[in-house]
């Protein structure tokens, strides 16, 4: 008899986005002529920019030559990409990140999901609420939580509610966690953290010997001056934080797959008897054992994101999405909705009208306006009564979605 990992049975039925896709499929089968506008999952819609396409074509051709062929690459990433990341994503911020501290991967979802493996089974985990569901579900799968209660919360998980009352910035947990997941610009609420906020988290982590898992996948969408793009802009963060970055939203790589994680040399975890261990060395062992690197062609594509032409083209894509965010934010505000985010993030977080539940509002919008968003409760119990719209759609679809929602009002 083969026993299963029963922790999987604790998970809520389906992962959020497949559940949305399932409901949309049922609706379209019943209404085959309906033109559905999808502003649910944060998937980009603009094509890969020409400089990145050129780099891929040229790398693919190189692979077809004897001299230019590449087999297995370095698991951690090719030096040309590590160097470009260190210089452009960190050097420009005045932050010194070494090539050995960067690990290139095939996506932030995998990185955020896999990182917990190198920490103790009894590590105490703190997550924002609402939160990107991957942080929670992967810890449930690993057996760090109990069952989920009637309030939708898993036992043994520290929830840090982000509510309208606290400006969608979680308070410090009373019980000190070992791992703290933070995401800024935030998915799903679209809020950003100031330097003061991050400084306070770094101090908190130092005091409690906790590690911050800082998801910065949306930093490219920050438009206001003075907002930190990396946690390493905060003094002392190298001793307490791991950072996750992605090319998915920044450069339209959701279908190409490339991301990276930074683990500073100084970051230490502890054995049961209190001996210090390099977290980077553990991750390196895991990464080189379970992963064979991102393809050469994809890494060349990622390198092109940092070329002068690449930067210009990508800035245009980001401006396009942020114009969508503005249109959604302003359009819905005019209709009387309470809206948050959308200024430094590609997500708009709104209060559902007439106190509708998140899923009721989802069904209502799908049924009456054929607009798909993401129910806030799918991101955690404190998301109940909220709804997320993504700015990654086509400009004309966004305009039409607002028009349809306005017709409902
Ligand atoms: C989202 O919509 O929250 C994201 O697209 C999910 C992801 O990046 O995996």
């Amino acid at each position: 008899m083969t026993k299963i990992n029963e922790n999987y049975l604790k998970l809520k039925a389906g992962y959020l986005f497949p559940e949305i896709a399932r409901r949309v499929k049922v609706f379209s089968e019943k209404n085959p002529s309906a033109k559905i506008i999808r502003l649910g999952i944060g998937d980009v819609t603009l094509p890969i920019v020409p400089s990145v396409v050129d780099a891929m074509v040229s790398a693919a051709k190189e692979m077809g030559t004897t001299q230019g062929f590449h087999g297995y690459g370095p698991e951690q990433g090719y030096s040309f990409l590590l160097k470009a990341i260190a210089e452009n994503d960190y050097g420009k911020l005045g932050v010194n990140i070494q090539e050995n501290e960067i690990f290139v991967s095939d996506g932030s979802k995998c990185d955020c999901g896999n990182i917990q493996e190198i920490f103790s089974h009894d590590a105490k985990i703190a997550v924002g609420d609402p939160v990107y569901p991957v942080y929670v579900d992967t810890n449930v799968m690993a057996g760090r939580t109990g069952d989920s209660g009637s309030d939708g919360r898993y036992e043994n998980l520290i929830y840090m509610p982000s509510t309208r009352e606290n400006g969608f910035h979680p308070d410090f947990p009373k019980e000190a966690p070992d791992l703290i997941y933070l995401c800024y610009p935030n998915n799903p609420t679209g809020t950003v953290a100031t330097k003061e906020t991050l400084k306070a988290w770094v101090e908190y982590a130092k005091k409690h010997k906790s590690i911050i898992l800082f998801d910065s996948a949306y930093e490219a969408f920050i438009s206001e001056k003075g907002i930190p793009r990396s946690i390493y802009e905060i003094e002392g963060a190298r001793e307490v934080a791991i950072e996750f970055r992605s090319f998915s939203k920044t450069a339209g790589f959701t279908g190409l797959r490339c991301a990276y994680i930074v683990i500073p040399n100084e970051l230490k975890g502890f054995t049961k008897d209190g001996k210090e261990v390099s977290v980077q060395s553990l991750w390196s062992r895991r990464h080189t054992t379970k992963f064979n690197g991102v393809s050469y062609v994809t890494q060349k594509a990622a390198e092109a994101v940092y070329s002068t032409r690449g930067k210009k083209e990508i800035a245009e894509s980001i401006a396009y999405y942020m114009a969508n965010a503005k249109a959604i934010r302003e359009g819905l505000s005019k209709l009387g909705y309470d809206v948050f985010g959308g200024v430094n993030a590609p997500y708009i977080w709104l209060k559902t009208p007439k106190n509708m539940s998140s899923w009721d509002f989802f069904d209502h919008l799908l049924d009456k306006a054929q607009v798909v968003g993401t129910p806030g409760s799918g991101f955690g119990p404190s998301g109940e009564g909220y709804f997320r719209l993504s700015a990654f759609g086509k400009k004309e679809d966004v305009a039409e979605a607002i028009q349809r929602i306005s017709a409902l009002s």
Side-chain angles (χ1 to χ4, degrees), residues 356-371:
M356 281 169 108
S357 79
S358 300
W359 276 109
D360 282 352
F361 188 60
F362 173 90
D363 289 333
H364 173 72
L365 269 196
L366 178 59
D367 192 39
K368 301 282 188 283
Q370 291 81 59
V371 172

Side-chain angles (χ1 to χ4, degrees), residues 78-242:
Y78 284 101
S79 184
F80 62 77
L81 181 56
L82 302 176
K83 193 163 175 297
I85 291 169
E87 277 175 18
N88 290 281
D89 285 348
Y90 294 101
K92 298 231 161 92
L93 300 174
V95 171
N96 181 18
I97 297 292
Q98 304 293 311
E99 285 183 35
N100 75 296
E101 298 175 312
I102 304 166
F103 296 79
V104 174
S105 76
D106 60 350
S108 266
K109 185 182 194 176
C110 324
D111 286 340
C112 292
N114 292 331
I115 193 72
Q116 46 77 28
E117 276 185 30
I118 60 169
F119 297 103
S120 149
H121 184 254
D122 60 5
K124 274 265 156 217
I125 310 294
V127 291
D129 171 25
V131 74
Y132 182 40
V134 173
Y135 313 154
V136 173
D137 287 4
T138 53
N139 279 292
V140 175
M141 290 170 178
R144 288 197 185 87
T145 71
D147 290 325
S148 92
S150 54
D151 59 356
R153 294 171 171 228
Y154 288 98
E155 292 160 6
N156 299 335
L157 195 60
I158 302 173
Y159 286 85
M160 305 184 292
S162 307
T163 58
R164 190 187 191 134
E165 289 68 40
N166 62 20
F168 301 104
H169 288 294
D171 298 324
F172 297 118
K174 287 190 188 73
E175 181 188 0
D178 297 303
L179 295 173
I180 305 163
Y181 289 83
L182 292 181
C183 174
Y184 286 112
N186 188 258
N187 177 15
T189 65
T191 46
V192 279
T194 60
K195 278 205 168 145
E196 289 63 41
T197 304
L198 290 190
K199 192 165 172 278
W201 275 111
V202 167
E203 277 162 14
Y204 178 91
K206 275 191 166 173
K207 181 167 163 207
H208 297 285
K209 288 199 161 72
S210 317
I211 291 180
I212 297 173
L213 302 172
F214 191 74
D215 185 350
S216 186
Y218 297 96
E219 64 75 33
F221 298 87
I222 293 174
S223 65
E224 291 179 317
K225 288 215 164 70
I227 306 289
R229 289 170 180 270
S230 162
I231 194 154
Y232 304 121
E233 288 181 65
I234 310 300
E235 209 188 312
R238 289 179 57 88
E239 291 148 49
V240 292
I242 293 175

Side-chain angles (χ1 to χ4, degrees), residues 15-17 39-44 108-110 131-134 187-188 215 217-218 246 248-249 254 257 347 374 379 388 390 392:
Y15 184 62
L16 175 61
F17 295 108
L39 305 178
I41 190 165
D43 195 4
V44 292
S108 266
K109 185 182 194 176
C110 324
V131 74
Y132 182 40
V134 173
N187 177 15
D215 185 350
Y218 297 96
S246 172
S248 282
K249 317 295 158 97
T254 51
R257 312 306 303 148
Y347 295 125
T374 307
F379 296 102
R388 192 194 77 175
S390 148
F392 287 119

